[in-house]
Amino acid sequence: MRLLMITLGWIVSLSAFGQETPAILHAADQAYQEARYEEALRLYQTSEVKFRQTKDIPNQAKSLTGQINSAQELSRFEEVEKLIDKMSLLPKNQKLEAEIAFLQGRLAASTGKDEAAINNFDKAIALSDEPLETVKYFTHKGFALVNSHELIQAEKTHKKASSLYDSIKVDDQMLKARLIDLNARIKWHTGDFAGSLMSFKKELEITQKLLIPDHPEIGSIYASMGIMYKNLLQYDKALEYYELSLDIRKKYLGENHLEVANSLNNIGYALYKKKQFEEALQVHRLALKIRSEQLDPLHLRVLQSIEHIGLCYGGMERFDEAEKNFRIILDGRTKKYGHDHHLTGYAYYNLGAVAVEIPDYEKAASYFQEAVDIGHKVYGPHNYDQADNYNRLANCHLELNKVSEAISEFHLALQHNLPGYTWDGDLRKIPDLQHYLSFRELQRSLLGLAKAHAALNGNLSVSIAYLKAAEEVIQRFKLNFSKDSDLITISASVKELADDAIPIYYRKYTDTRNPEDLEEIFRYSELAKSSALLSKLSDEKAKQVSGIPEEMLLKDKDYRFQQDSLNTIILARLDSKEDPSAPKALLFQKNREYEAFKKELEKQYPVYTENKFGLKPASIKSIQNYLAERGQATALLSLHLTDDKTLLSMLISENDVKINIAATENLDEVITNFRKALIDQDEKALMETSDQLRKLLISPLYEQKISKDLIVIPSGITGYIPFDLLTDESGNYLIEHHVISYDLSATLLETRQHKNAEKASLLAYAPEFSETPNTNYSLTAASILRSDELVALPGARKEVELVSSMFSSATRFGRDASESSFKQEAGKFSILHLATHSIVNESDADYSKLVFSDSDENEDGFLHAFELINLNLEADLVTLSACNTGVGKIEEGEGVMSLARSFRSAGVPSVVMSLWPASDKSTPELMRLFYENLSKGQAKDLALANAKREYLSTAKGKARDPFFWGGFVLIGDNSPLEKEQNMLTWIILSVILIGLTLVIYQRRFRVA
């Protein structure tokens, strides 16, 4: 869906009628300039009465114009119309007639009547004999032309206005800002989002010097910049701008203003693009309510809200409701605009998108063909919307095995997306890809051509050329991102690339058996795992090795601390129903300052720029070397699950590689049933689903029974599987004979930085919670879970007491187990153990949190994931003995966005996490055994495996159920906690021991 332009308000010069401004008008003008529109309206009304009585026609006209502008800003369009009619009764002169025509045009534009608006602006231009006023009228005509998608005429109008402005030799900064705004919107609607963003930044710089800091006009520019960031796929950054714009608009315009609805619409659409469909739906419903109460049912904004609600239904797989909404849109737009209008084309496009999901590719293709046909009539030769239409049509034809048609359509999509490029009919041509309108459409075209050529006579060399081109474009595009969370958007693009590349390379490998093709398959699989996390770690490492002075690194850290503090304040205000707008505005400012600081780092220290994304993915050879160094009979099982549920499995051992690709359409269902059986403690269903998962995930790679321990690199929903609990051919759990650990990617495993100390030190926390179970603890202990219900956890204190006895320890119980104390001391210990509750945020992983005692004056008692990066953790192991710390939203190309992942992102090499709610009864015993094994020098994965086995050797009855012991798994480095004494130390000790022995022997000999 494409967002339409938000028409900006215009601050009309109220001195247009040429005489000194009386005091009451000056006060009204001042209120208007400061966005006090209600007050301004009242003052203009008072002044109008006064000047009507004194028959002061020029000032009466000024007063009416001021009322019109104030009412316009307040979206009181019926009142505006009456005031214009009233103004029309004044004695006429050419200047006044021109102004009335302009005001009528602006009203028409605001109410979605673009053709009438353009006609009125033309009338104003024809009547105007003052150059500055004529520039104003041309500029507004340009906005209306952009709204009508008449972009060629809009560009011509902008050139006329700019040329006239330049010829006047008058420095009117507000008018100059409006001309820049019009240029930005033309670039926006022709797909030059980066150029548009630069123009909006110039406009903002000028406007901020002319108006109060949070004027609604500035809020509108923020909204426009947010839309550009959204178009550049930087959704979280867009949301920052949208939310600031929303706060400004609510402050000055009220909760039910149409500009507030526009901000809500923008926020809802960004949430939709982030796949937060439920949240997006609620926001769009709020926007629709405001719009429906004030606008005609066929107004473009009302239809836009209905359309966006349809998109949310589609994302939620409520396709019938989505189609119903889109048919309402098609009927409404056809009635209002006719068939051959770009907005009608959008309606056909969305109907096609629903048909793809059903799927009905014939029906979808017919809708996309309609969109393409409309595009031919309304778009120029280069337009990203038309590129989108062609890409969608081509993908349908590819599904229908109309491969030649698809290839032609993908090339036509490239033609529309690449300014200056005209396709010459060469099916294999890869044009210059340096300059494009839409990254998203460029990627779709290149990947589509890769798949199409693979389907056309198996021409894999051409397919691979397109894959490499797509990969290069992604790597270049990635450099534009400054916000860590937005890198997840790029991860999804990398995942899409890998999904298409892996089957193509697998076909090539089955033909050639070339090890290089096998390496490429593994490389693409690794590129699509935890891409944003690896980029973040790479960025942190680059800062340390790029010669950046210590004071600059401290400044970098200070910025991040300020951001975290403000985020915490915002959350606290939201929880207490206080207004968070002030800290949100300050956070917005700090974020922009930090961006500028990082740009300066890149400029001053080019080595940093070279290295910030410089982490190369692991290779098969490097993993084999890692396994050889590990010195255990271990294999690495790497999984890659494509969007169409094709599963790539690679089993890498020290001297061998096995690979399998298979369709697994029911994998999601099996995993869901497996987890349900675990939580319901349904032994029969568990054994059945466990056996199914083994056959899907492991058996294809093993000709005989499993003979090695495993490191599992999961993909997507497979990250929710405890492989310990899969059964072998004999029906035994794998944990009984195998040691299994995990990591988020083989690259992350390979680049681990083990921090093991000479002597391990443990910090263990057991916070207190006031809510207690209704019955006696001994009767309910088995049912008490460490979940998001903050009940008391008697077992947590016992657990901390048990594990702390194994190492040099510091323990914090009850009220002493606070968030602030943890932040102060966590960086001093090599082991962190948290026996507490956790709260998982399924929408935004940054806001998942661990719960501490509510006894803190300086903190809110919640350690959020976004706060972890600034804790300077030196821990070799973090044990998250809470519920669901390995669970979260699944992001394409990143995997499960869990709390454990956040600790890995903060540089912790090993994390023990839970895959379901932890039992407060059984967990203390399991953790005691785990730490006892660690204290004996066992590797972390072996220590956890042995703990589970030892637990089972003594557990009885229901306590043996896997729910009570199988949920904890290790991700990351498996090395023992304490360093082994080095060889030199042993030599010195041996020499001393031998010397002492000789001395004792000599003394004994003399005595004898």
Side-chain angles (χ1 to χ4, degrees):
M1 172 60 199
R2 301 79 159 189
L3 294 179
L4 298 175
M5 184 189 80
I6 301 171
T7 305
L8 289 174
W10 184 275
I11 301 175
V12 177
S13 169
L14 297 180
S15 59
F17 297 95
Q19 66 185 66
E20 188 176 344
T21 306
I24 189 168
L25 265 183
H26 181 77
D29 291 350
Q30 188 70 29
Y32 181 85
Q33 293 285 343
E34 293 176 1
R36 292 180 279 118
Y37 298 123
E38 291 283 5
E39 181 183 346
L41 184 60
R42 288 194 299 271
L43 288 169
Y44 286 129
Q45 287 168 342
T46 302
S47 67
E48 193 242 327
V49 171
K50 174 184 176 181
F51 296 127
R52 185 173 69 246
Q53 291 172 345
T54 60
K55 297 184 180 180
D56 184 345
I57 302 302
N59 279 323
Q60 187 184 355
K62 287 183 187 181
S63 299
L64 282 167
T65 303
Q67 289 179 65
I68 291 166
N69 287 329
S70 299
Q72 178 92 18
E73 294 293 347
L74 294 167
S75 295
R76 297 176 185 171
F77 299 128
E78 290 183 4
E79 188 174 346
V80 170
E81 187 172 13
K82 290 176 183 177
L83 287 165
I84 293 173
D85 290 342
K86 191 174 183 180
M87 194 171 180
S88 299
L89 299 175
L90 294 175
K92 297 288 193 302
N93 60 51
Q94 188 170 329
K95 183 181 293 187
L96 182 59
E97 286 189 52
E99 189 67 13
I100 290 170
F102 163 71
L103 293 171
Q104 288 172 330
R106 192 179 64 178
L107 175 61
S110 298
T111 53
K113 301 169 184 174
D114 294 318
E115 187 175 348
I118 292 166
N119 290 335
N120 276 293
F121 293 139
D122 280 336
K123 183 179 178 181
I125 291 165
L127 288 168
S128 176
D129 58 5
E130 291 194 7
L132 274 178
E133 293 302 301
T134 305
V135 172
K136 180 179 77 174
Y137 302 153
F138 267 125
T139 305
H140 267 268
K141 179 184 176 181
F143 289 142
L145 287 166
V146 171
N147 255 357
S148 298
H149 228 74
E150 297 180 38
L151 301 178
I152 295 172
Q153 290 302 315
E155 192 162 1
K156 290 178 180 178
T157 301
H158 176 259
K159 285 180 180 178
K160 286 180 184 177
S162 298
S163 177
L164 180 57
Y165 177 82
D166 291 341
S167 70
I168 298 171
K169 307 296 183 185
V170 174
D171 186 21
D172 187 324
Q173 287 294 298
M174 185 58 75
L175 194 51
K176 182 180 179 181
R178 295 299 163 264
L179 285 167
I180 293 171
D181 186 275
L182 176 56
N183 184 44
R185 292 175 186 282
I186 292 167
K187 289 178 178 177
W188 161 4
H189 286 275
T190 53
D192 182 7
F193 304 132
S196 177
L197 182 60
M198 292 300 297
S199 294
F200 281 128
K201 286 180 178 179
K202 289 179 185 176
E203 181 192 11
L204 180 64
E205 187 177 341
I206 294 171
T207 309
Q208 284 177 323
K209 295 174 183 176
L210 302 174
L211 301 175
I212 57 176
D214 56 352
H215 193 283
E217 188 77 3
I218 291 172
S220 292
I221 300 171
Y222 284 144
S224 299
M225 293 174 69
I227 293 171
M228 292 311 99
Y229 282 119
K230 180 267 297 179
N231 289 340
L232 292 167
L233 309 188
Q234 299 182 41
Y235 302 126
D236 281 329
K237 197 166 182 178
L239 281 168
E240 282 190 72
Y241 282 83
Y242 291 156
E243 288 171 1
L244 184 59
S245 174
L246 176 65
D247 289 340
I248 290 171
R249 287 168 168 174
K250 282 184 174 179
K251 177 180 178 180
Y252 288 100
L253 305 176
E255 296 279 341
N256 295 312
H257 195 279
L258 288 173
E259 290 296 338
V260 169
N262 290 338
S263 286
L264 291 170
N265 180 77
N266 291 338
I267 290 169
Y269 192 69
L271 292 171
Y272 163 78
K273 297 299 286 185
K274 284 168 63 68
K275 299 185 178 181
Q276 296 174 216
F277 302 123
E278 291 280 1
E279 295 92 331
L281 180 61
Q282 297 308 314
V283 174
H284 281 308
R285 283 174 172 164
L286 288 174
L288 177 61
K289 183 176 185 295
I290 295 170
R291 289 171 166 179
S292 297
E293 289 172 352
Q294 301 179 52
L295 299 172
D296 183 89
L298 293 182
H299 190 281
L300 65 91
R301 297 293 183 208
V302 175
L303 294 177
Q304 182 191 56
S305 287
I306 295 171
E307 187 169 43
H308 284 182
I309 288 171
L311 291 174
C312 294
Y313 286 145
M316 296 159 70
E317 299 185 2
R318 293 159 62 176
F319 300 124
D320 288 344
E321 292 167 273
E323 185 174 11
K324 180 181 176 182
N325 275 44
F326 295 146
R327 289 206 173 279
I328 292 171
I329 299 302
L330 179 61
D331 292 343
R333 287 177 178 167
T334 303
K335 186 181 295 184
K336 182 163 185 176
Y337 303 110
H339 180 271
D340 296 336
H341 192 278
H342 73 283
L343 291 177
T344 309
Y346 294 170
Y348 279 114
Y349 175 96
N350 285 322
L351 283 166
V354 170
V356 165
E357 296 298 331
I358 291 173
D360 184 341
Y361 294 112
E362 288 282 5
K363 187 177 182 180
S366 69
Y367 285 130
F368 289 129
Q369 186 65 63
E370 285 281 359
V372 165
D373 292 343
I374 292 170
H376 281 308
K377 298 171 184 176
V378 301
Y379 297 131
H382 301 291
N383 182 278
Y384 70 97
D385 281 339
Q386 187 70 334
D388 191 358
N389 292 334
Y390 267 120
N391 276 330
R392 287 288 200 160
L393 180 60
N395 274 314
C396 287
H397 284 154
L398 197 55
E399 292 290 343
L400 295 167
N401 206 30
K402 298 178 180 179
V403 180
S404 295
E405 289 178 49
I407 290 175
S408 297
E409 287 151 359
F410 282 128
H411 278 290
L412 288 169
L414 284 175
Q415 177 175 291
H416 277 277
N417 199 15
L418 300 170
Y421 170 64
T422 302
W423 182 46
D424 60 9
D426 182 353
L427 297 180
R428 301 184 177 192
K429 185 171 185 178
I430 301 180
D432 182 356
L433 303 174
Q434 290 296 317
H435 304 289
Y436 50 83
L437 299 178
S438 167
F439 161 77
R440 189 72 190 87
E441 297 314 315
L442 181 57
Q443 186 192 27
R444 282 178 174 167
S445 298
L446 294 173
L447 295 183
L449 284 164
K451 289 187 289 185
H453 279 285
L456 188 69
N457 302 320
N459 200 336
L460 299 184
S461 61
V462 177
S463 291
I464 287 170
Y466 281 113
L467 290 173
K468 295 298 182 185
E471 184 176 351
E472 185 180 337
V473 169
I474 290 172
Q475 294 305 323
R476 285 204 317 269
F477 188 65
K478 187 177 183 178
L479 298 174
N480 299 320
F481 283 58
S482 59
K483 196 173 179 67
D484 290 336
S485 56
D486 278 327
L487 285 171
I488 292 171
T489 307
I490 292 297
S491 299
S493 296
V494 174
K495 170 69 162 47
E496 188 176 2
L497 168 67
D499 283 358
D500 292 337
I502 286 170
I504 290 171
Y505 270 101
Y506 183 74
R507 279 180 58 186
K508 188 167 182 281
Y509 174 71
T510 56
D511 291 341
T512 65
R513 293 293 165 179
N514 186 338
E516 292 181 4
D517 296 328
L518 204 58
E519 283 282 10
E520 281 295 280
I521 293 169
F522 185 64
R523 186 179 73 85
Y524 277 111
S525 175
E526 276 298 297
L527 282 175
K529 288 188 174 73
S530 301
S531 174
L533 186 152
L534 287 164
S535 294
K536 192 171 184 177
L537 293 175
S538 185
D539 180 68
E540 292 301 312
K541 183 179 179 182
K543 287 174 186 172
Q544 303 300 322
V545 300
S546 302
I548 299 173
E550 183 65 24
E551 61 268 23
M552 295 285 274
L553 294 175
L554 289 172
K555 190 174 182 180
D556 175 82
K557 192 176 294 184
D558 185 55
Y559 270 121
R560 291 186 295 179
F561 272 122
Q562 290 181 60
Q563 289 169 323
D564 284 354
S565 298
L566 287 166
N567 265 316
T568 302
I569 292 169
I570 290 165
L571 287 172
R573 291 203 176 182
L574 288 170
D575 287 343
S576 61
K577 309 298 182 185
E578 294 181 66
D579 180 13
S581 57
K584 280 169 67 177
L586 185 55
L587 176 62
F588 180 87
Q589 178 187 334
K590 288 297 175 187
N591 287 344
R592 303 293 77 75
E593 289 176 10
Y594 187 44
E595 284 174 15
F597 171 76
K598 289 181 76 172
K599 290 286 184 188
E600 189 62 27
L601 279 185
E602 292 173 8
K603 183 179 177 182
Q604 291 188 25
Y605 305 95
V607 176
Y608 165 62
T609 308
E610 292 170 12
N611 291 330
K612 63 183 289 190
F613 293 124
L615 198 59
K616 293 182 179 179
S619 66
I620 292 173
K621 187 65 178 174
S622 66
I623 290 300
Q624 287 179 324
N625 290 338
Y626 165 78
L627 294 172
E629 290 172 10
R630 183 176 166 122
Q632 300 167 1
T634 305
L636 183 137
L637 175 62
S638 175
L639 304 174
H640 180 94
L641 187 62
T642 69
D643 192 47
D644 67 358
K645 303 306 175 189
T646 298
L647 180 68
L648 164 76
S649 308
M650 294 188 76
L651 187 71
I652 303 174
S653 57
E654 188 176 337
N655 299 307
D656 190 25
V657 181
K658 293 180 180 178
I659 184 169
N660 185 71
I661 286 185
T664 56
E665 292 88 352
N666 67 333
L667 181 60
D668 284 15
E669 181 184 354
V670 176
I671 292 174
T672 300
N673 291 338
F674 172 74
R675 287 178 57 80
K676 184 177 186 300
L678 274 166
I679 293 169
D680 292 348
Q681 299 168 42
D682 183 340
E683 184 178 359
K684 181 181 178 183
L686 178 63
M687 297 303 286
E688 288 175 357
T689 52
S690 174
D691 188 58
Q692 287 176 281
L693 286 174
R694 174 181 55 79
K695 289 175 180 176
L696 284 169
L697 302 174
I698 297 178
S699 293
L701 298 170
Y702 285 93
E703 295 173 3
Q704 300 174 353
K705 67 181 236 177
I706 302 170
S707 57
K708 289 180 180 288
D709 295 338
L710 282 178
I711 303 169
V712 179
I713 310 295
S715 173
I717 195 172
T718 63
Y720 282 162
I721 302 171
F723 281 68
D724 290 2
L725 301 183
L726 302 190
T727 52
D728 61 20
E729 293 82 350
S730 304
N732 299 314
Y733 292 126
L734 296 186
I735 185 65
E736 296 180 44
H737 303 290
H738 304 276
V739 175
I740 300 176
S741 62
Y742 309 78
D743 213 334
L744 306 176
S745 77
T747 307
L748 192 59
L749 181 72
E750 184 185 62
T751 56
R752 72 202 185 288
Q753 291 186 332
H754 188 46
K755 302 177 182 180
N756 54 357
E758 295 290 349
K759 186 171 180 59
S761 57
L762 169 71
L763 176 65
Y765 269 57
E768 71 173 4
F769 302 97
S770 56
E771 188 176 336
T772 57
N774 294 327
T775 54
N776 182 273
Y777 170 65
S778 63
L779 297 176
T780 63
S783 62
I784 297 176
L785 302 177
R786 296 176 187 177
S787 62
D788 54 4
E789 295 182 13
L790 305 184
V791 298
L793 299 175
R797 183 181 188 98
K798 176 185 176 184
E799 179 179 318
V800 166
E801 289 171 346
L802 289 170
V803 303
S804 63
S805 65
M806 312 290 178
F807 294 94
S808 173
S809 302
T811 56
R812 304 289 179 260
F813 299 107
R815 296 179 62 80
D816 292 334
S818 67
E819 180 188 3
S820 58
S821 65
F822 181 78
K823 286 181 175 180
Q824 291 168 13
E825 60 186 349
K828 303 171 186 176
F829 293 83
S830 60
I831 311 169
L832 302 176
H833 185 97
L834 299 172
T836 184
H837 288 293
S838 67
I839 300 175
V840 176
N841 188 311
E842 293 282 358
S843 298
D844 192 334
D846 278 347
Y847 294 94
S848 291
K849 53 201 174 188
L850 291 162
V851 187
F852 288 79
S853 292
D854 186 19
S855 58
D856 227 320
E857 294 181 1
N858 302 317
E859 299 285 353
D860 60 4
F862 298 110
L863 181 63
H864 293 87
F866 68 76
E867 299 177 89
L868 293 173
I869 193 65
N870 292 325
L871 294 189
N872 296 320
L873 299 178
E874 292 297 323
D876 186 52
L877 171 67
V878 171
T879 300
L880 301 176
S881 187
C883 86
N884 291 321
T885 51
V887 173
K889 182 181 180 182
I890 296 174
E891 291 282 6
E892 290 292 308
E894 286 299 311
V896 180
M897 305 295 287
S898 64
L899 277 164
R901 179 191 183 278
S902 297
F903 275 94
R904 289 289 274 133
S905 180
V908 176
S910 310
V911 182
V912 172
M913 65 183 189
S914 59
L915 294 176
W916 53 81
S919 165
D920 195 53
K921 176 68 172 177
S922 59
T923 301
E925 176 62 10
L926 184 68
M927 290 300 165
R928 179 190 69 79
L929 294 167
F930 173 50
Y931 279 87
E932 189 175 89
N933 293 335
L934 288 173
S935 69
K936 296 174 182 176
Q938 292 182 14
K940 300 185 196 85
D941 55 351
L942 179 61
L944 185 58
N946 282 339
K948 292 175 181 180
R949 294 165 185 160
E950 291 159 16
Y951 171 90
L952 280 173
S953 70
T954 59
K956 296 178 181 178
K958 202 66 177 173
R960 293 182 57 80
D961 192 282
F963 175 81
F964 294 102
W965 57 267
F968 286 99
V969 298
L970 173 78
I971 62 168
D973 179 63
N974 76 318
S975 305
L977 283 173
E978 295 184 352
K979 289 181 180 177
E980 296 179 3
Q981 297 294 329
N982 60 43
M983 185 60 69
L984 180 60
T985 303
W986 281 112
I987 291 172
I988 292 171
L989 289 173
S990 299
V991 169
I992 293 171
L993 183 61
I994 292 169
L996 287 172
T997 302
L998 288 172
V999 169
I1000 292 168
Y1001 175 79
Q1002 288 173 351
R1003 286 180 178 176
R1004 286 180 177 175
F1005 182 77
R1006 287 174 187 156
V1007 170

